[in-house]
Amino acid sequence: MEIKVMANILDKNDRLAAEVNALLSDRGIFVLNLLGSPGSGKTALLERTIAALRDELRLAVIEGDLFTDKDAARIARQGVPVVQINTGGGCHLDANMVKGVLGSLDLARLDLLIIENVGNLVCPAEFNIGEDAKATVLSITEGEDKPLKYPLVFKQASAVVLNKIDLLPYTSFDLAAATEDIASINPGIVLITASCRTGEGLEGWYGWLQDRVAAKKNAKGGKGQ
Amino acid sequence: MEIKVMANILDKNDRLAAEVNALLSDRGIFVLNLLGSPGSGKTALLERTIAALRDELRLAVIEGDLFTDKDAARIARQGVPVVQINTGGGCHLDANMVKGVLGSLDLARLDLLIIENVGNLVCPAEFNIGEDAKATVLSITEGEDKPLKYPLVFKQASAVVLNKIDLLPYTSFDLAAATEDIASINPGIVLITASCRTGEGLEGWYGWLQDRVAAKKNAKGGKGQ
């Protein structure tokens, strides 16, 4: 019974996610769903990304949080459009929530929409929200066992940012094991080792994003629109 | 409709949690529900706790994980009884899962049962699983903004272990702000600042647990059983 309810919720969500994606694809906007544990560094990654790319890409952010607008305030300080979704305690964003706020964004002037999901390594991986790709942030202070313990969020991601690499000397994190486990779960994943505090290693992340944004624009052009 | 389904699930869970708690209270066993993000250090805290208390308390552990038995294997190496619950991808333990494994433990020879929940700062806070108290582990590498962003798990906990304090010099974590925010959410909470890697600060945690176990035993004695 509970399983059937859940299946219905997921089916309905997938239909709405397809709607959201179609709407944004019509405008050639690349949509990223950014996932990770609380404190893995998702917002810090966004701050760095905006600072690095805002001169060449038109960026906006949707911030998912339980109750507060703390992360949205951090993004607003970077001078790009940001919309807050509060789930009221809910553990993940869904496509209906995203659909509901799209009207607050000027979609005609956008190349890249990044949606920061609720900090949670489990539930958000089950709900598509209209994205073209998912990216997962894992901080090395969480431990190298996390990919095998929470595989879905790594299986579904196109890229993973292994964050807080500046703390490597002060931890017992096994970088080789983590890299191997992530590749075993998802052989095609792009792995970027970086520190959002120092900026080290983030060029690979910026390049990956730029390539995806360009590919989405080309795909739209190819359709003759 | 979805809200009603959720309310029914929570009601049923609360009834089962009361059953589990009654069964364990009859034997004077103190039951702790241990919560925290992936990688906050819940299993490391358990390893330290077992090493420190196993000569004076009869301890057992229930390990909640999505798929693996990695944490249970770590606890088994400490030489105490451990039972694994795999949720099959589910984001939290519930009372029915705990009830289902109690038969695997020798309850006549137990003072303290610690249940390590799925790594998740959101969903586990909504489901009682038969515990006498919840404790939350927050690592300082997650950032001082987490208590206000994920308040329920701090509101419901009787104690919080602020872990990885050995990394404080290498982060920008604001200890005063975190302490103040936790106290504002839950004025009665016991806050323990510690490092499960070095062992620093854990005496306060051991003492808190010992007091709770003793109080539970006395409560049982007081009932004349």
Side-chain angles (χ1 to χ4, degrees), chain B residues 3-168:
Chain B
I3 290 169
K4 196 174 166 196
V5 170
M6 188 65 187
N8 286 343
I9 290 171
L10 286 174
D11 279 351
K12 187 181 165 197
N13 182 71
D14 278 346
R15 283 195 302 275
L16 286 166
E19 273 182 44
V20 169
N21 189 264
L23 194 105
L24 296 166
S25 293
D26 275 349
R27 290 162 176 81
I29 301 167
F30 178 70
V31 188
L32 184 76
N33 182 1
L34 191 62
L35 309 170
S37 292
S40 56
K42 297 180 292 303
T43 313
L45 179 63
L46 279 181
E47 289 171 326
R48 286 275 180 187
T49 303
I50 294 164
L53 299 183
R54 104 183 110 196
D55 289 343
E56 51 187 291
L57 294 178
R58 297 169 303 175
L59 247 155
V61 173
I62 295 175
E63 274 293 339
D65 277 296
L66 303 184
F67 303 107
T68 67
D69 63 357
K70 285 171 160 283
D71 290 350
R74 284 171 63 183
I75 298 303
R77 280 196 287 275
Q78 301 291 318
V80 299
V82 57
V83 181
Q84 177 74 55
I85 298 176
N86 280 139
T87 63
C91 51
H92 61 271
L93 295 179
D94 64 33
N96 196 43
M97 297 175 191
V98 173
K99 191 182 171 192
V101 301
L102 286 182
S104 309
L105 292 168
D106 184 356
L107 300 182
R109 298 184 192 183
L110 211 53
D111 304 307
L112 170 60
L113 174 62
I114 305 184
I115 307 174
E116 182 182 340
N117 221 308
V118 174
N120 183 333
L121 216 47
V122 187
C123 319
E126 294 193 57
F127 288 81
N128 295 319
I129 53 177
E131 70 268 18
D132 294 301
K134 292 182 175 75
T136 297
V137 184
L138 174 71
S139 64
I140 65 135
T141 49
E142 293 172 61
E144 70 279 338
D145 57 343
K146 295 307 166 294
L148 293 184
K149 287 185 66 187
Y150 303 86
L152 188 60
V153 77
F154 295 94
K155 197 175 178 67
Q156 298 208 335
S158 301
V160 58
V161 175
L162 210 49
N163 189 25
K164 307 192 188 177
I165 199 72
D166 54 305
L167 295 178
L168 192 60

Side-chain angles (χ1 to χ4, degrees), chain A residues 71 141 149 164 170 197, chain B residues 71 141 149 164 170 197:
Chain A
D71 290 352
T141 49
K149 287 185 65 186
K164 307 191 188 178
Y170 314 112
R197 195 160 75 122
Chain B
D71 290 350
T141 49
K149 287 185 66 187
K164 307 192 188 177
Y170 313 112
R197 196 161 73 123

Side-chain angles (χ1 to χ4, degrees), chain A residues 128-150:
Chain A
N128 295 320
I129 53 176
E131 70 269 18
D132 294 302
K134 291 182 176 75
T136 297
V137 183
L138 175 71
S139 64
I140 64 135
T141 49
E142 294 172 60
E144 70 278 339
D145 57 342
K146 294 308 166 293
L148 293 183
K149 287 185 65 186
Y150 302 86

Side-chain angles (χ1 to χ4, degrees), chain A residues 160-200:
Chain A
V160 59
V161 175
L162 210 48
N163 190 24
K164 307 191 188 178
I165 199 70
D166 55 304
L167 295 178
L168 193 59
Y170 314 112
T171 70
S172 54
F173 187 81
D174 185 338
L175 186 57
T179 304
E180 194 175 309
D181 289 346
I182 291 169
S184 78
I185 293 165
N186 185 346
I189 204 166
V190 173
L191 179 86
I192 295 138
T193 303
S195 165
C196 294
R197 195 160 75 122
T198 68
E200 174 191 352

